[in-house]
Amino acid sequence: MHTSWLTAKSYGQLSNQVQGPFIAPLPAFDIISVSGTDKHKYLQSQTTCDLDQLNDDTFLRGAHCDAKGKTWSVFHLLQHHDELLVVAFRDELSASVAQWQKFGVFSKVSFASGQDKFATLGIGGAGAETLVSRLGFKLPGGNGRLSRHNQGAVLQLADEHFMLILPKADAIALLDSDYPLAAPTLWLKQHILHGLCYLEQPLIGEFVPQMLNLQAVDAISFSKGCYLGQETVARMKYLGRNKRAAWILQADTDEAPAAGCDIEQQFNENWRRVGQVINAVNINNQLWLIAVLPNDITPADSLRLKSDSAPALQLLPLPYPLS
């Protein structure tokens, strides 16, 4: 785990047993600042979100695809003074930035690591809004909106589920305060239950955005101008070519499968590979995961994790409709 601002001692004191609202450091999420006169135009041509919809009170959820429409990263993007900040899991952000830098040499745009300036944390749990207010922020007022305080920002990803961007010094000081602090896994469980995901190294470039349900969480604009991979993304929508989606699953097991692990479905007496784990977290021998599976899967289908113990997986309802 990347711990540029979180010490091993601080990390070791975090717990999954916090009841009620909590703040969880997210040291595996990185931030890139994008500057230059062409920053808006360039990212508009590279991502699925519409930067024309960005303002001081909103953030964008989006994806970066390759020319074939396969997803390299799922990110959150916001304005910060004269810069744009892109927040994503470290693996996918590194992959996208490498491509953006490669193809951005002909544009007036530059990319700089934000690790020395900012830290990313999550706020969640029942009553999470009380912590947002306690930190000095106004409530954002809805999914896709943000609130600012001093040099920080809090992004509302879903109900009672927030991402907090703070100056690094403020984040370090927060860890020494009396706020209820939790391990990142507690926030990730909530992220999964909201049907949200990020890409770890084995899955970068494997899925079109609709396989990750990004159209259902306002991460794809179908009305903006051209962008990399748009032809494939549009074909999936208008021609009905997409046959897979991200689903939430749960199991009673001590296993914690890595990204890319196989999921099998029973057909008569045989088991056949039908999908892959995207993100997973195990808390107190309860496994929660989000996985790409056929989009016609139902709770009546028998599913299991492909492993030595092969625990049965229960399909949970998504918190949003698929379209």
Side-chain angles (χ1 to χ4, degrees):
M1 169 126 356
H2 181 63
T3 54
S4 61
W5 63 275
L6 183 64
T7 67
K9 179 181 178 180
S10 297
Y11 189 78
Q13 294 174 341
L14 302 175
S15 169
N16 286 316
Q17 308 307 316
V18 178
Q19 302 296 316
F22 62 83
I23 299 175
L26 304 176
F29 282 76
D30 286 342
I31 298 175
I32 290 292
S33 65
V34 187
S35 58
T37 55
D38 290 341
K39 61 183 182 296
H40 183 111
K41 178 181 178 182
Y42 182 69
L43 286 184
Q44 183 80 323
S45 71
Q46 292 286 313
T47 64
T48 62
C49 53
D50 185 0
L51 273 75
D52 290 340
Q53 303 303 311
L54 188 64
N55 59 50
D56 285 340
D57 299 318
T58 63
F59 68 92
L60 298 177
R61 181 182 288 121
H64 168 225
C65 303
D66 61 19
K68 296 180 180 179
K70 296 298 182 67
T71 310
W72 283 57
S73 64
V74 180
F75 57 79
H76 298 88
L77 186 150
L78 65 149
Q79 293 181 172
H80 181 73
H81 300 307
D82 294 332
E83 301 174 318
L84 297 174
L85 299 183
V86 183
V87 189
F89 187 72
R90 59 185 177 211
D91 294 355
E92 56 185 346
L93 188 59
S94 295
S96 283
V97 170
Q99 295 300 306
W100 289 338
Q101 289 177 322
K102 178 179 178 181
F103 295 105
V105 294
F106 301 109
S107 299
K108 295 178 181 179
V109 62
S110 59
F111 302 87
S113 172
Q115 294 177 14
D116 293 334
K117 296 181 180 179
F118 302 102
T120 306
L121 305 95
I123 303 176
E129 293 85 356
T130 62
L131 291 181
V132 173
S133 298
R134 186 178 164 191
L135 287 165
F137 293 90
K138 294 181 180 179
L139 294 179
N143 301 345
R145 300 187 64 82
L146 63 79
S147 177
R148 302 177 190 269
H149 177 63
N150 294 334
Q151 296 299 309
V154 61
L155 288 60
Q156 184 168 345
L157 308 187
D159 293 344
E160 299 183 330
H161 188 55
F162 301 88
M163 181 173 280
L164 176 64
I165 310 300
L166 288 180
K168 193 165 93 168
D170 293 348
I172 293 172
L174 188 150
L175 296 182
D176 292 327
S177 67
D178 60 350
Y179 286 95
L181 301 177
T185 45
L186 203 59
W187 186 86
L188 176 56
K189 172 189 171 182
Q190 189 178 35
H191 205 59
I192 289 171
L193 289 174
H194 281 296
L196 304 174
C197 64
Y198 57 81
L199 295 180
E200 300 178 53
Q201 187 61 52
L203 299 180
I204 292 172
E206 292 295 316
F207 306 116
V208 297
Q210 287 97 325
M211 294 180 184
L212 305 173
N213 301 355
L214 296 188
Q215 80 286 359
V217 294
D218 298 323
I220 306 174
S221 170
F222 293 100
S223 59
K224 62 176 281 188
C226 295
Y227 60 88
L228 196 64
Q230 181 192 29
E231 182 178 351
T232 298
V233 175
R235 188 183 304 121
M236 292 291 172
K237 174 178 174 63
Y238 296 113
L239 298 182
R241 297 287 180 84
N242 182 44
K243 304 300 180 184
R244 304 182 72 75
W247 296 97
I248 304 167
L249 301 145
Q250 187 271 333
D252 298 325
T253 177
D254 61 357
E255 294 201 37
C261 286
D262 290 341
I263 292 175
E264 297 179 319
Q265 181 179 352
Q266 187 173 21
F267 295 91
N268 297 320
E269 299 301 317
N270 300 312
W271 290 86
R272 184 186 308 163
R273 176 183 179 274
V274 292
Q276 290 177 285
V277 173
I278 309 172
N279 305 129
V281 61
N282 195 307
I283 300 176
N284 298 328
N285 294 328
Q286 290 288 308
L287 173 64
W288 312 87
L289 62 86
I290 187 166
V292 171
L293 297 167
N295 58 12
D296 59 355
I297 206 81
T298 74
D301 294 317
S302 296
L303 299 169
R304 72 181 186 184
L305 187 68
K306 185 178 182 181
S307 66
D308 291 339
S309 62
L313 296 169
Q314 177 187 0
L315 189 70
L316 303 182
L318 290 169
Y320 45 69
L322 289 176
S323 58

